[in-house]
Amino acid sequence: MTQAEGVPAPPSRARYALLAGLLGLLPMLLPISVDGSVPLMPSIAAAFATSTAAVQFGLSALVLGIAVGQLVHGPLSDRFGRKPVILCGVALYAATSAACAASGSIDALIALRFLQGFLACSGVIVARAVIRDMFDREAGARLFALMMGIHGLMPTVAPGLSGIIAEALGWRAVFVTMAGFGALIFVAVLVGLRETNRALNPAALRPSTIVRNFRAILSNRPFRCYAFCACFVYGALMAYFAGAAVGLIQYLGLSPAEFGIAMALPMIAYTATQIGVARVAQGLGMDRLIRAGTMLCAAAGIGMTLFVLTGNISVYTLMGPVILLLIAIAFITPGTTAGAMSPFAHIAGAASSLLGFIQFLAGAIATAVIGLLNDGTPLPMAIVIGACGCGTLAAYWLLVRPLSQRSAP
């Protein structure tokens, strides 16, 4: 296999397995923060005597914090190394999660949720840079798919576990659990991760350097095309998280524990698909995977919208399209991530940051729209997922597909 410029020899099989497991832990900070908090929305609204729409803005603040954090952690890891940035971010995440548990007002919780999101993204951002440090594009896509398949265990269990903890101990106990999980990851990284950035960039944090790097990344056509396609996917995903509690708990009357079970099914499908994609990614190629995923994404969004508009609303008609959506994301994300990152061997952290910012900014916009349109029904969620699904398909055919045709022999 031809390796990309600046990519060291691949690790042994045992080391590869350990690396995949450890890197799979790092992105779990995002689903435990997002998925784990979704069942809490009605309880938090009741505790602070406010509306579920106000609590949804807390989710928007979390996702916006994730988006902003993307721009910071990558350049920090280019300057100081991957491991120190992860350790610092995870430690502060644990402290912020504990502060969320002690918050005394909805305004304080929203502010802390922004900070929690800002710190939670340090793991996934730097993990992507670690993969780019060590592997070329195709091998990186395979490891990224495997990493995300492992990380998919957390969104599978987080909603149900969160619902059980909230029913038994109250919603604040869920944030204490988040803090404990952050501490666990801190220890795992401290013991198990080696530094992979062998060319620290002393100028990485200079404003002029950051602007120059981001300008160079944005001027790269493949990056723009893959990132634009990926942003619609994240918009659909975050719309689901923002609207699921309203649709399933408030509208259909599911308990938090039942809600957790319903949310686990799409994540089981996602995890299984990610593991399968990891096995076939190099054989099928990124373009085929992305094309199939965007078609499934559009079908999921259109299907959910039609079900809701025709009044055919049940757990099955809501979660069936969601399962299809999560399968689509498993097809799309590894290829779009590897395609966007591959041209940037020496500024992988900055490229990872900018890609994540674009994705989660789209997610923050989608969750804010859900909050603004909240009418106590699943309709806002269905409309936003439908629009994002169609946008994903259009972005593939108009932007990504021409790239693969141009590079074909």
Side-chain angles (χ1 to χ4, degrees), residues 116-192:
Q116 187 188 36
F118 178 85
L119 296 166
C121 71
S122 61
V124 66
I125 277 295
V126 183
R128 286 203 296 244
V130 168
I131 291 175
R132 183 58 188 86
D133 289 339
M134 300 183 69
F135 300 95
D136 63 15
R137 187 179 72 167
E138 297 296 334
R142 179 176 181 270
L143 180 57
F144 185 81
L146 183 58
M147 179 187 81
M148 297 307 289
I150 296 170
H151 128 278
L153 296 173
M154 178 56 70
T156 301
V157 303
L161 183 61
S162 174
I164 293 171
I165 293 174
E167 286 187 331
L169 302 173
W171 63 268
R172 296 180 189 273
V174 177
F175 287 103
V176 174
T177 303
M178 294 178 189
F181 186 72
L184 175 65
I185 292 182
F186 179 90
V187 174
V189 172
L190 183 65
V191 174

Side-chain angles (χ1 to χ4, degrees), residues 273-284:
T273 306
Q274 279 284 19
I275 294 173
V277 168
R279 297 179 65 89
V280 302
Q282 288 184 273
L284 292 180

Side-chain angles (χ1 to χ4, degrees), residues 12-395:
S12 66
R13 180 174 297 182
R15 180 63 186 166
Y16 184 91
L18 290 174
L19 179 65
L22 181 57
L23 293 181
L25 279 177
L26 295 175
M28 288 185 182
L29 290 176
L30 296 184
I32 197 175
S33 303
V34 178
D35 303 55
S37 66
V38 171
L40 309 180
M41 289 185 181
S43 299
I44 294 174
F48 292 126
T50 187
S51 65
T52 55
V55 182
Q56 283 176 325
F57 284 118
L59 180 60
S60 298
L62 173 74
V63 179
L64 182 61
I66 294 171
V68 175
Q70 311 281 327
L71 298 178
V72 177
H73 299 298
L76 281 173
S77 74
D78 286 339
R79 171 62 182 88
F80 296 109
R82 315 304 185 202
K83 187 171 181 176
V85 172
I86 294 174
L87 289 175
C88 184
V90 170
L92 292 175
Y93 169 87
T96 303
S97 299
C100 287
S103 57
S105 69
I106 187 63
D107 292 335
L109 182 60
I110 290 174
L112 286 168
R113 291 285 275 165
F114 174 86
L115 184 58
Q116 187 188 36
F118 178 85
L119 296 166
C121 71
S122 61
V124 66
I125 277 295
V126 183
R128 286 203 296 244
V130 168
I131 291 175
R132 183 58 188 86
D133 289 339
M134 300 183 69
F135 300 95
D136 63 15
R137 187 179 72 167
E138 297 296 334
R142 179 176 181 270
L143 180 57
F144 185 81
L146 183 58
M147 179 187 81
M148 297 307 289
I150 296 170
H151 128 278
L153 296 173
M154 178 56 70
T156 301
V157 303
L161 183 61
S162 174
I164 293 171
I165 293 174
E167 286 187 331
L169 302 173
W171 63 268
R172 296 180 189 273
V174 177
F175 287 103
V176 174
T177 303
M178 294 178 189
F181 186 72
L184 175 65
I185 292 182
F186 179 90
V187 174
V189 172
L190 183 65
V191 174
L193 183 66
R194 301 173 184 173
E195 179 58 54
T196 61
N197 185 357
R198 301 181 182 182
L200 299 180
N201 182 1
L205 296 180
R206 294 176 185 172
S208 59
T209 301
I210 294 174
V211 171
R212 182 171 64 252
N213 287 343
F214 284 167
R215 184 181 298 162
I217 294 166
L218 286 173
S219 66
N220 182 273
R221 183 185 173 193
F223 178 88
R224 294 196 309 269
C225 295
Y226 285 116
F228 195 68
C229 184
C231 78
F232 283 106
V233 176
Y234 272 75
L237 179 64
M238 292 303 163
Y240 159 56
F241 289 139
V246 173
L248 296 176
I249 297 178
Q250 186 173 333
Y251 187 82
L252 293 178
L254 271 64
S255 69
E258 291 171 335
F259 173 80
I261 295 172
M263 288 194 71
L265 295 177
M267 296 313 306
I268 292 172
Y270 170 81
T271 302
T273 306
Q274 279 284 19
I275 294 173
V277 168
R279 297 179 65 89
V280 302
Q282 288 184 273
L284 292 180
M286 292 191 309
D287 183 70
R288 290 182 180 177
L289 293 173
I290 297 172
R291 179 168 68 247
T294 56
M295 295 172 68
L296 292 175
C297 189
I302 293 171
M304 179 184 288
T305 304
L306 291 176
F307 281 134
V308 174
L309 288 176
T310 57
N312 188 9
I313 303 174
S314 68
V315 173
Y316 304 104
T317 58
L318 291 182
M319 300 311 293
V322 168
I323 290 174
L324 195 61
L325 172 64
L326 269 291
I327 291 174
I329 291 172
F331 276 92
I332 296 169
T333 303
T336 54
T337 301
M341 292 280 294
S342 62
F344 307 105
H346 302 298
I347 51 173
S352 180
S353 289
L354 193 56
L355 175 62
F357 173 77
I358 293 170
Q359 291 171 333
F360 280 95
L361 181 61
I365 293 172
T367 57
V369 171
I370 295 290
L372 291 172
L373 298 179
N374 187 337
D375 61 355
T377 77
L379 182 59
M381 175 179 69
I383 290 175
V384 175
I385 291 178
C388 289
C390 293
T392 302
L393 183 61

